[in-house]
Amino acid sequence: MSYHPERPLIVQGDHSLLLETHNPQFADARDTIAPFAELEKSPEHIHSYRLHPLSLWNAAAAGHTLQQAEEALHRFSKYSIPENVLEEMRRTFARYGQLVLTKDNESTLRLTISDAFIAARIAREKTITALLKEQPADDIFLIDPGQRGKLKHALIILGFPVDDQAGFSDAPLFGLALRDTTMSDQRSFALRDYQQQAVDAFVASGSHGVIVLACGAGKTLVGMATMARIGMRTLIITPNTAAAHQWRAELLDKAQVSATDIGEYTGSRKEIQPITIATYQMLTYRPEQDGDMPHIELITKHAWGLIIFDEVHVLPAPVFRAVSEIQARRRLGLTATLIREDGLERDVFSLIGPKRFDLPWRELEQSGHIAKAHCVEIRVPMSQHDHMAHATADDARKAYRIAAENSIKDRVATALIKKHADQGILVIGQYIKQLERIAAHLGAPLISGRMSSPERERLYAAFRAGELRLLVVSKVANYAIDLPDASIAIQISGAFGSRQEEAQRLGRILRPQGGPAFFYTLVSDHSEELKFAVNRQRFLAEQGYDYLIEEWKP
């Protein structure tokens, strides 16, 4: 067995990769294996990755090769790579492209399978055969176009990704061009190189898939440029009304489009125009608890040339089901991270499409397109009363909440706010009572789901204008909120260490300000909260951020 002690990587027989963080080659190795391997744990000294089928299929779909993956492992591995790992990686990588879906005629799609063993296996699966029209040959299956999404979803659950080349139904044309200067301030602008590369990658791939870019890197502009390239009626689905309004404002500011051509489909308005902006909440609304979703027909019945899923990682299950029925539409997913704590990344892969473009956050930071961020976890002691309540809690969730709502965090947040008094600051939390308490303590406005959309947007506008320098915000601000003047975030509580949430909250402060951004997380020491800190570290380490841990000393 060969041994190279200067290298940072150990490849184990269970398909896990161990990467030494203190090795001089750490950063290079991390960036090289990132397209192929999924980060699992990131403690201080060793980061662990896994060669997961989905990470390998996304790499293949993005144009990376098996040879590149093998060379990356050989280049950085201390020891000889176990042969079973290389063999399984080759077989997994090879599966992408073995099942190809094409159009047979206007009423039939053809699934061609290049591997006879896979074809025979699929022919025995009742969940698959129930979706077929016929099987004219051992390696060919014919299906109804309406079963396209269900078939792809069923196949990926079995471990067989489909390369969907069946094409799309066209919709009425609607020309859209980006401006050279913004309407709001006559500032000249153009797509950045990586934004143009993202658009090109999406269109070249067949116009279905996901683009992953950090918050603040211009995903909305990528979506608009894609709309211009496709040139057809477009439906944009967003996480909330505030995000819908931001899309509308960006379109009016940076595209040659009339306000009358942009429709809003939300709780307050129901307009359908050549460009229609809706929310996930509106589409999944049920008048009765177990009743139908009348607005989901907006997706399934209208002729859209392109559907954009903003923050695609938050797609609710009912919309997933609807997406399975609209596979004949071009689909673009935009997100800062594909991480889902429920493991449904495979659904995004099969129903929206593979990852088509991804740019590491640190690369964007180094080029100055997003702010340099310092991530600091502050360990906060609990009062004797809270410590006793935490110790005697009868289940872990109660203990977690007691730790999360630790009242001493108010004092820590106050000290941090004084330290950064001249900057735009967001205090972010999970629990409304805690947020109400700290907002009263700080004398700052609180934005939550209970606040009306107009009032919420008024406060956001005041913050953007510099009239407010401090906002306390609940999880409603996690997604798709543009607050370019924010450079400090103080996270006082969260959703059990959700990596997805961490990505969104960090993204709130990544607009370049000319100086560094600071992302503070307050964690009760010796508590249930600490168990979830590793999830935050996993995401931040995956993006290449250092994660400093400090103890609070009043």
Side-chain angles (χ1 to χ4, degrees):
M1 175 181 289
S2 62
Y3 176 53
H4 304 276
E6 75 283 0
R7 297 178 183 176
L9 187 67
I10 298 174
V11 182
Q12 302 196 113
D14 63 353
H15 307 284
S16 63
L17 314 178
L18 304 179
L19 184 60
E20 299 172 346
T21 63
H22 302 297
N23 189 291
Q25 299 181 59
F26 164 70
D28 194 13
R30 177 198 63 208
D31 294 343
T32 304
I33 68 174
F36 312 100
E38 178 183 349
L39 182 70
E40 289 194 325
K41 298 178 182 177
S42 55
E44 185 177 358
H45 305 293
I46 301 288
H47 290 179
S48 62
Y49 292 76
R50 184 166 299 278
L51 294 169
H52 191 277
L54 203 57
S55 64
L56 294 173
W57 294 333
N58 269 318
H64 298 286
T65 66
L66 173 64
Q67 181 182 2
Q68 290 172 331
E70 290 192 18
E71 287 177 351
L73 298 184
H74 286 297
R75 176 183 169 192
F76 294 107
S77 182
K78 286 181 182 293
Y79 304 99
S80 299
I81 301 169
E83 190 58 37
N84 71 298
V85 172
L86 291 174
E87 182 59 30
E88 183 63 26
M89 186 170 71
R90 290 164 187 156
R91 295 196 323 191
T92 301
F93 217 99
R95 279 189 178 182
Y96 189 79
Q98 289 189 342
L99 284 72
V100 180
L101 192 64
T102 56
K103 183 177 288 187
D104 192 62
N105 55 54
E106 289 304 315
S107 61
T108 305
L109 300 180
R110 175 187 295 254
L111 179 68
T112 304
I113 303 176
S114 57
D115 185 289
F117 171 79
I118 295 176
R121 162 78 188 281
I122 288 173
R124 296 193 301 269
E125 290 290 337
K126 292 182 179 180
T127 56
I128 304 299
T129 56
L131 302 173
L132 303 178
K133 291 179 71 170
E134 59 179 297
Q135 185 182 357
D138 289 343
D139 60 347
I140 295 176
F141 299 84
L142 300 182
I143 67 168
D144 186 290
Q147 304 296 335
R148 184 173 174 179
K150 293 178 181 178
L151 177 71
K152 293 195 305 183
H153 191 228
L155 284 168
I156 203 167
I157 290 174
L158 293 174
F160 301 113
V162 174
D163 183 3
D164 188 348
Q165 300 178 14
F168 306 100
S169 301
D170 286 338
L173 297 178
F174 183 76
L176 181 77
L178 297 184
R179 299 179 182 274
D180 296 324
T181 58
T182 60
M183 284 288 288
S184 57
D185 55 11
Q186 299 302 304
R187 175 175 52 87
S188 62
F189 86 99
L191 290 183
R192 297 168 181 167
D193 288 345
Y194 68 83
Q195 293 169 336
Q196 187 63 60
Q197 291 166 12
V199 176
D200 292 344
F202 175 78
V203 174
S205 71
S207 299
H208 68 292
V210 179
I211 291 172
V212 182
L213 286 173
C215 299
K219 293 188 293 295
T220 302
L221 193 54
V222 169
M224 290 163 52
T226 303
M227 292 165 62
R229 287 281 289 275
I230 300 299
M232 296 182 190
R233 292 171 61 96
T234 298
L235 173 64
I236 303 165
I237 314 177
T238 68
N240 50 52
T241 302
H245 292 170
Q246 285 178 190
W247 267 91
R248 179 183 178 87
E250 283 290 284
L251 282 162
L252 293 174
D253 188 45
K254 297 181 175 66
Q256 297 177 19
V257 61
S258 168
T260 58
D261 287 326
I262 304 175
E264 177 183 326
Y265 201 93
T266 62
S268 58
R269 302 167 69 178
K270 303 289 186 298
E271 305 166 331
I272 298 178
Q273 298 295 345
I275 298 173
T276 298
I277 309 172
T279 65
Y280 294 120
Q281 183 179 16
M282 191 70 251
L283 295 181
T284 56
Y285 168 74
R286 299 176 189 267
E288 300 178 4
Q289 184 173 358
D290 297 320
D292 294 333
M293 294 178 290
H295 305 297
I296 206 76
E297 290 190 354
L298 181 67
I299 290 184
T300 56
K301 302 302 182 184
H302 287 79
W304 306 108
L306 173 67
I307 301 180
I308 297 177
F309 298 88
D310 194 17
E311 307 291 1
V312 68
H313 60 281
V314 302
L315 267 178
V319 178
F320 268 135
R321 289 196 290 273
V323 173
S324 72
E325 300 176 18
I326 56 155
Q327 295 296 298
R329 305 278 183 256
R330 296 168 183 84
R331 303 172 305 283
L332 169 61
L334 299 172
T335 185
T337 173
L338 276 169
I339 292 170
R340 286 182 65 106
E341 302 303 331
D342 59 8
L344 291 182
E345 293 95 336
R346 71 183 186 192
D347 289 8
V348 175
F349 183 99
S350 63
L351 298 179
I352 304 299
K355 181 168 59 177
R356 300 301 188 184
F357 186 85
D358 187 1
L359 195 62
W361 289 35
R362 289 306 291 268
E363 190 172 324
L364 287 164
E365 178 188 292
Q366 291 165 4
S367 63
H369 293 308
I370 62 175
K372 179 177 177 60
H374 299 285
C375 303
V376 183
E377 178 180 303
I378 299 178
R379 303 280 175 87
V380 181
M382 286 191 286
S383 68
Q384 186 173 359
H385 176 270
D386 285 343
H387 184 74
M388 182 60 67
H390 177 272
T392 58
D394 53 12
D395 66 55
R397 294 184 71 89
K398 286 183 180 178
Y400 176 86
R401 181 157 185 173
I402 290 168
E405 294 187 301
N406 177 2
S407 59
I408 296 179
K409 290 183 180 182
D410 298 11
R411 304 207 311 256
V412 182
T414 300
L416 292 172
I417 289 165
K418 288 180 179 177
K419 179 179 178 180
H420 299 284
D422 59 339
Q423 295 172 265
I425 302 172
L426 301 176
V427 177
I428 309 174
Q430 174 79 4
Y431 302 108
I432 294 300
K433 287 186 177 180
Q434 179 190 29
L435 293 170
E436 290 173 342
R437 182 190 74 209
I438 200 167
H441 176 76
L442 298 171
L446 165 61
I447 295 177
S448 72
R450 300 173 182 176
M451 179 178 284
S452 68
S453 292
E455 178 62 11
R456 198 182 305 175
E457 292 185 30
R458 184 191 70 79
L459 290 171
Y460 288 147
F463 189 88
R464 294 187 193 103
E467 299 166 8
L468 284 174
R469 305 302 294 166
L470 173 64
L471 287 176
V472 179
V473 295
S474 74
K475 61 184 180 181
V476 299
N478 283 0
Y479 304 116
I481 300 300
D482 183 15
L483 296 172
D485 287 345
S487 58
I488 309 296
I490 303 170
Q491 181 174 225
I492 58 173
S493 57
F496 295 92
S498 165
R499 291 170 292 160
Q500 179 191 113
E501 181 176 75
E502 195 78 356
Q504 297 301 323
R505 290 182 170 182
L506 175 61
R508 302 284 73 79
I509 60 170
L510 292 184
R511 309 284 184 189
Q513 299 289 320
F518 287 86
F519 184 54
Y520 295 100
T521 299
L522 310 187
V523 179
S524 292
D525 206 359
H526 306 296
S527 78
E528 196 72 19
E529 255 193 322
L530 286 178
K531 294 182 180 179
F532 298 94
V534 67
N535 278 3
R536 291 189 296 274
Q537 293 179 36
R538 282 171 61 183
F539 169 73
L540 295 171
E542 184 180 25
Q543 304 305 329
Y545 289 103
D546 296 324
Y547 193 85
L548 182 65
I549 298 176
E550 298 179 351
E551 290 188 8
W552 171 250
K553 296 179 181 179

